[in-house]
Amino acid sequence: MIKKSILVTGGTGYIGSHTVVELQQKGFDVVIVDNLSNSYREVINAIEKITNIRPEFYEFDLCDFEKTHSFFKKNKIDAIIHFAAFKAVGESVEKPFMYYHNNLFSLINLIKCANEFNVKNFVFSSSCTVYGQPDELPVTEKAPVKKALSPYGNTKQISEEIISETVKTTSLKSISLRYFNPIGAHESSLIGELPIGIPNNLVPFITQTAIGKREILNVFGNEYNTPDGTCIRDYIHVVDLAKAHVIAVERLLSNKNKSNYEIFNLGTGDGHSVLEIIKTFEKVSGVKLNFKFVERRPGDIEKVWASTEYANKELGWKAEINLEEMLLSAWKWEKAINKI
Ligand code: NAD
Ligand code: WQD
């Protein structure tokens, strides 16, 4: 049988690289496009080490229409998984134009080319950020999309709208996957999250504090309306997330989708507070974490976790890796990149 060829944009990035591994292990041919604006070429070697297959790699900016077009001219693609985007919420507030430009032009160029070159299957990286603070928990896919709290969040909302409008008038079929909080790393410790500069996200900040790169973890707020006063999130292991992408692609390729645009939450369905994350990390790593409570971080949501019912039922997918394993894998990764 001829192997299906999957274009993974942002495939050297954190979630993209783990998805490339899962796709290759399921027998797909993978072509990566990434401009390395937030990742490294070495990731290709690491992927090859894990799977024994070197993914094809093209380095260019998807905002460049000519380059994107000539890529599609040269390569026969069956489906696209579009990860490439800027993702730092705080930076997007400081540089909104950069975020709208990068996240929207890359999407528009890809969709234009998908239509012209008859690529019908498109999986999009969305985010639970589109829900804001939901009125009901766990939050289902039917919950209203609330006014975005950042330009980054707004790019995800606009992107979802662009896709949902496009599928009405073209032969494109799409699935948007709304991730909750991806954490952890591949069991090989060969790929993982590589935050550039000071991490914004909780888990990389925890592991960097534990290893001594950061002096102290600031816990943003301890008087929220939650059992221990700290914010609650739905943390999901990146490999569970990656596996859901393979299922989404297979669903589109085999025309099992129920409509031309489907949306699924990707979370575990369990909420954990910041203090629970710290305690669990201390337990699995054996390291006592230096932390203090500080002011709330502006724009933070008090609590959010996913309803996973729809993804469980329709995709036949369920997150399998528990919190201890997630945090242990993040810790092993931190030690691996520091060669400890
Ligand atoms: P990442 O930064 O590690 O990966 C994104 C990759 O895209 C990087 O390798 C970067 O170099 C590349 N890229 C960015 N703009 C590009 C462009 N114009 N052309 C070519 N390549 C480009 O991020 P990630 O955590 O792997 O996130 C992947 C996707 O998932 C993003 O769309 C992000 O918004 C979304 N998402 C991430 C999270 C999270 O917490 N990590 C949560 C929800 C949604
Ligand atoms: C988690 C919790 C913080 C750092 C962000 C984006 C969201 C999505 C996922 C892409 C919060 C607390 C954090 C620290 C802390 N990304 N915290 N000290 O804010 O849920 O979501 O990443 O789509 O759009 O906004 O994740 O990891 O930053 O924070 O106390 O140094 O940890 O207040 O409660 P968040 P996070």
Side-chain angles (χ1 to χ4, degrees):
M1 211 176 75
I2 300 169
K3 283 185 175 183
K4 295 285 184 195
S5 176
I6 316 297
L7 163 60
V8 179
T9 77
T12 46
Y14 173 44
I15 308 170
S17 57
H18 289 81
T19 303
V20 170
V21 166
E22 297 303 314
L23 285 166
Q24 288 182 327
Q25 288 176 340
K26 283 275 177 171
F28 289 102
D29 266 338
V30 179
V31 188
I32 295 174
V33 171
D34 201 300
N35 65 355
L36 304 179
S37 56
N38 197 36
S39 56
Y40 302 91
R41 189 181 296 278
E42 291 67 34
V43 171
I44 305 287
N45 299 333
I47 292 171
E48 186 182 9
K49 253 194 188 161
I50 297 170
T51 63
N52 286 320
I53 308 164
R54 193 165 183 85
E56 243 189 283
F57 175 60
Y58 290 79
E59 182 185 345
F60 67 88
D61 187 338
L62 290 156
C63 295
D64 183 329
F65 182 74
E66 294 310 319
K67 288 196 176 137
T68 308
H69 192 265
S70 77
F71 167 84
F72 278 91
K73 242 184 183 166
K74 275 193 233 126
N75 292 275
K76 159 96 186 66
I77 299 295
D78 295 298
I80 301 167
I81 307 182
H82 182 40
F83 291 104
F86 291 154
K87 63 163 180 179
V89 176
E91 186 184 52
S92 82
V93 175
E94 282 156 34
K95 300 173 184 165
F97 188 72
M98 187 173 117
Y99 271 68
Y100 287 115
H101 184 278
N102 192 57
N103 293 4
L104 298 180
F105 276 121
S106 55
L107 174 77
I108 289 168
N109 286 345
L110 268 178
I111 292 183
K112 259 194 197 167
C113 292
N115 288 337
E116 183 177 334
F117 292 93
N118 209 23
V119 185
K120 296 203 169 93
N121 307 298
F122 193 86
V123 177
F124 178 67
S125 292
S126 190
S127 167
C128 68
T129 189
V130 302
Y131 297 120
Q133 176 60 63
D135 301 324
E136 283 171 37
L137 288 166
V139 61
T140 73
E141 293 81 353
K142 293 203 171 84
V145 164
K146 296 219 172 138
K147 187 171 166 37
L149 291 171
S150 69
Y152 165 73
N154 208 19
T155 67
K156 291 296 173 194
Q157 295 188 1
I158 297 169
S159 298
E160 284 199 7
E161 281 175 14
I162 291 173
I163 297 166
S164 81
E165 297 295 332
T166 306
V167 298
K168 289 180 191 159
T169 52
T170 66
S171 56
L172 196 75
K173 298 174 285 161
S174 179
I175 293 178
S176 277
L177 299 173
R178 291 178 176 163
Y179 318 151
F180 282 66
N181 288 54
I183 62 168
H186 193 263
E187 59 178 2
S188 63
S189 293
L190 288 167
I191 52 172
E193 193 169 9
L194 278 167
I196 293 170
I198 302 171
N200 298 303
N201 295 116
L202 178 64
V203 172
F205 209 105
I206 287 179
T207 56
Q208 289 196 7
T209 307
I211 210 142
K213 266 195 215 165
R214 312 269 155 219
E215 208 179 307
I216 191 162
L217 166 75
N218 289 324
V219 174
F220 301 133
N222 63 343
E223 289 176 344
Y224 281 101
N225 182 25
T226 60
D228 65 23
T230 63
C231 292
I232 296 177
R233 297 287 183 273
D234 184 338
Y235 297 91
I236 174 166
H237 195 276
V238 64
V239 171
D240 275 331
L241 205 65
K243 286 181 176 164
H245 289 75
V246 180
I247 294 172
V249 151
E250 284 170 338
R251 181 177 174 90
L252 290 173
L253 286 169
S254 56
N255 288 310
K256 293 215 173 90
N257 49 303
K258 297 252 163 84
S259 70
N260 284 348
Y261 184 48
E262 296 183 305
I263 296 174
F264 295 98
N265 283 344
L266 295 184
T268 63
D270 296 321
H272 294 285
S273 72
V274 177
L275 281 180
E276 274 182 83
I277 299 296
I278 292 173
K279 266 189 238 145
T280 310
F281 177 80
E282 288 182 334
K283 182 178 163 203
V284 298
S285 68
V287 178
K288 193 102 196 80
L289 207 66
N290 195 16
F291 72 89
K292 67 173 192 296
F293 294 114
V294 298
E295 287 294 287
R296 292 180 177 201
R297 182 171 67 176
D300 259 343
I301 302 299
E302 183 169 86
K303 49 189 169 216
V304 63
W305 59 92
S307 162
T308 58
E309 221 182 295
Y310 189 52
N312 295 165
K313 193 172 127 242
E314 271 302 315
L315 296 179
W317 166 90
K318 201 175 182 335
E320 283 168 353
I321 303 174
N322 68 32
L323 188 63
E324 290 193 3
E325 293 168 306
M326 292 187 218
L327 291 169
L328 187 59
S329 74
W331 180 230
K332 281 188 182 158
W333 167 244
E334 185 68 59
K335 288 195 286 189
I337 52 181
N338 290 282
K339 300 193 170 57
I340 290 174

